[in-house]
Amino acid sequence: MIIEINDNIKIWKEFNPIELSMDNDLFNSTDANRNLAKLVFNKERIAIKNRWFDVLTPSELIRKRNKSDGYYRVVYIQINMENGEYYIGKANRPTWSELKRYQGTGLKFVNKFNKDSDKFVRFYIASCETAEETELLESELVGSELLSDEKCLNLVAGGGGTTKHPSTSETREKKRKYMKSHPEQFQPMLEASRNAFQSGDSPLLRARSQRIKEVMSDEKYRKMTNERIKNWKAENPEAYAEARKKNHEAIKKSESQAKRKASFDQWVKNNPKEYQVWQEKLISSRTTPEANEKRKASRKEWSEKNPEKANVNVKKRAKAAAEKLSKAICMIDLQSGEVLKTFPSQRAAAKWLVDNGKAKNLNCSSSISAVCLRKTCTTGYGYRKKTCGYDWRFASEIQIKN
């Protein structure tokens, strides 16, 4: 069945009385033509200037939603089923509810629709992937020939309205260039901004930073902050050095250290898995061949620049290692078993033996160690019991008498 609306618009329908439209006002109208138009048909097509389009049902249109951004991009026609007037438009909407609410924005059409909304029926005739496609199709349909039709409610040719909208960054850059080229217009605003946000720590600056953090990702915020610090460092080297010095002094304070430790302990307690991963990553980064080479080169460079401090550090490390690794030993009389003397280390005992003529050199410390450890004799029978005429034992293994 073909319904000829006018010379430019025709509707072909195959009627199915079982499938009804989901429109709540289907049977509220007394107009038979409108009620018939609001029925859903198995097959329904519309011709615009003899170009046929398959009408999309609501269920078909929902499935045409763009998968990349979720938008509905359609071309539709509004037809007054009573007098044959029509309006062709496009819609780009992010949700189904917005698409259903949107009727059209043409001035002539809106005036007619507001007066006789119950007489208009909307048909979706095409679904597109991009906004540019909807503009192109609209421009093909709504041309000078269609605009000359007295039944057409379009006032201008189709194809305008959504192509190449400037992005937020492009708009911001355009505003920035304009402000730089017309500084006299924005001097009061710039001065107020400098006083509020560039005069050191203040409640306004903290509130501004908090607002930025809430709307910006952590990665982008860190990148922005890093760039600002680099620029400030390059422009103000002396002020940067002074700020670094103050920050270093503040970190050393006991209050700051306690606060940092409490914050870190709280984080470790709340994030045990992240802490474990961080520890493994830290240990791995410290023990890589690249890290060892870098540390070695850095120490060598520092030692060459500070030879006296480097020598002092070497002695400190040697002393600390000796205190950590050396064990106190006791020199014991072979006959009575009494402790004759106690030494802080095997090397100290060997030095005492050499000084008192009981040993030729400090190599006797290895023999002292063998006696203390009760090593097996070279003959394979028993263990070593003495060296240099004395028995030797670790102080921790025996009871020292006063």
Side-chain angles (χ1 to χ4, degrees):
M1 178 179 66
I2 296 179
I3 303 174
E4 187 170 341
I5 305 300
N6 53 51
D7 295 338
N8 291 318
I9 307 297
K10 297 177 183 178
I11 301 177
W12 177 84
K13 297 181 179 182
E14 181 178 334
F15 178 66
N16 184 348
I18 297 177
E19 298 182 8
L20 299 178
S21 170
M22 297 178 66
D23 193 335
N24 295 328
D25 297 329
L26 177 63
F27 300 109
N28 294 341
S29 175
T30 57
D31 191 290
N33 290 332
R34 177 172 179 267
N35 291 337
L36 180 63
K38 283 200 169 185
L39 291 173
V40 178
F41 300 88
N42 285 345
K43 295 179 181 179
E44 189 173 24
R45 308 186 75 195
I46 289 182
I48 302 175
K49 296 189 301 184
N50 294 321
R51 181 176 176 180
W52 288 93
F53 295 90
D54 291 327
V55 175
L56 299 174
T57 63
S59 60
E60 291 175 334
L61 188 59
I62 288 176
R63 292 194 294 270
K64 297 289 185 179
R65 188 175 190 178
N66 191 295
K67 296 181 179 179
S68 61
D69 57 11
Y71 265 69
Y72 294 96
R73 297 183 173 90
V74 297
V75 176
Y76 63 90
I77 180 172
Q78 293 267 24
I79 302 176
N80 187 321
M81 304 303 292
E82 187 175 280
N83 57 23
E85 293 179 334
Y86 60 92
Y87 172 81
I88 299 173
K90 62 180 179 297
N92 298 274
R93 292 295 180 270
T95 62
W96 175 250
S97 59
E98 291 185 29
L99 181 64
K100 288 174 64 179
R101 287 197 301 268
Y102 182 77
Q103 301 295 333
T105 55
L107 296 178
K108 188 176 181 181
F109 164 72
V110 171
N111 187 32
K112 295 272 187 178
F113 184 82
N114 290 339
K115 292 179 180 178
D116 301 309
S117 60
D118 58 333
K119 297 178 181 179
F120 280 90
V121 179
R122 177 174 52 182
F123 300 91
Y124 294 104
I125 60 175
S127 175
C128 304
E129 290 293 326
T130 63
E132 288 77 9
E133 291 182 17
T134 62
E135 293 179 20
L136 179 61
L137 180 57
E138 187 189 37
S139 65
E140 293 174 358
L141 296 177
V142 185
S144 57
E145 182 182 350
L146 202 70
L147 292 174
S148 62
D149 185 3
E150 62 179 7
K151 297 292 185 179
C152 180
L153 300 179
N154 292 75
L155 294 176
V156 295
T162 59
T163 301
K164 296 181 180 178
H165 277 316
S167 62
T168 304
S169 58
E170 291 174 343
T171 303
R172 189 182 297 116
E173 185 62 27
K174 183 178 179 181
K175 291 179 180 179
R176 186 180 293 111
K177 289 181 179 180
Y178 181 82
M179 291 176 67
K180 287 183 177 180
S181 60
H182 302 80
E184 67 283 353
Q185 298 182 16
F186 303 96
Q187 283 303 322
M189 184 183 72
L190 294 174
E191 187 63 29
S193 177
R194 278 193 292 268
N195 295 335
F197 306 128
Q198 298 183 14
S199 58
D201 190 16
S202 65
L204 286 175
L205 182 60
R206 287 179 178 270
R208 178 175 177 267
S209 299
Q210 185 61 34
R211 290 195 301 271
I212 293 174
K213 285 183 179 180
E214 291 173 355
V215 300
M216 189 179 296
S217 65
D218 294 340
E219 182 180 355
K220 189 173 182 180
Y221 183 77
R222 282 194 296 267
K223 183 179 179 181
M224 182 190 71
T225 305
N226 191 24
E227 290 177 356
R228 286 182 175 179
I229 292 175
K230 285 182 178 178
N231 294 336
W232 182 64
K233 178 182 177 181
E235 296 173 359
N236 307 275
E238 296 180 359
Y240 175 77
E242 184 65 23
R244 288 282 296 173
K245 183 179 178 181
K246 290 182 179 179
N247 187 45
H248 189 64
E249 293 174 354
I251 289 175
K252 286 184 175 180
K253 292 182 179 180
S254 58
E255 299 84 358
S256 178
Q257 292 288 342
K259 185 177 179 181
R260 287 162 63 90
K261 186 178 184 305
S263 178
F264 181 74
D265 292 342
Q266 184 67 24
W267 179 81
V268 171
K269 182 179 179 181
N270 297 334
N271 306 274
K273 293 183 179 179
E274 289 82 353
Y275 172 71
Q276 183 66 24
V277 173
W278 175 76
Q279 281 281 27
E280 293 175 357
K281 185 178 179 181
L282 182 64
I283 294 172
S284 176
S285 65
R286 287 176 176 175
T287 55
T288 58
E290 296 81 4
N292 292 334
E293 290 295 328
K294 185 177 179 181
R295 191 181 303 110
K296 183 178 178 181
S298 178
R299 286 177 177 175
K300 184 177 180 181
E301 182 181 358
W302 183 84
S303 299
E304 291 175 354
K305 292 181 179 179
N306 306 275
E308 295 180 359
K309 292 182 179 180
N311 190 26
V312 173
N313 287 343
V314 169
K315 291 181 179 179
K316 285 183 178 180
R317 287 197 297 269
K319 184 178 179 181
E323 291 177 353
K324 183 177 180 181
L325 299 176
S326 61
K327 292 183 178 180
I329 61 172
C330 297
M331 185 174 68
I332 302 173
D333 184 73
L334 292 173
Q335 300 298 327
S336 63
E338 294 184 359
V339 176
L340 302 177
K341 201 171 185 61
T342 302
F343 300 94
S345 64
Q346 297 172 15
R347 187 173 182 81
K351 188 175 183 303
W352 182 87
L353 292 173
V354 172
D355 293 342
N356 289 272
K358 298 182 180 296
K360 294 181 180 181
N361 51 51
L362 297 177
N363 291 339
C364 62
S365 61
S366 60
S367 299
I368 296 173
S369 175
V371 175
C372 290
L373 296 173
R374 294 298 190 257
K375 287 188 176 181
T376 306
C377 295
T378 55
T379 59
Y381 297 98
Y383 56 88
R384 296 198 61 168
K385 300 179 180 62
K386 65 178 181 177
T387 186
C388 299
Y390 300 100
D391 183 14
W392 303 88
R393 301 290 298 274
F394 289 115
S396 59
E397 297 178 357
I398 63 174
Q399 191 98 25
I400 301 177
K401 297 180 181 180
N402 294 331

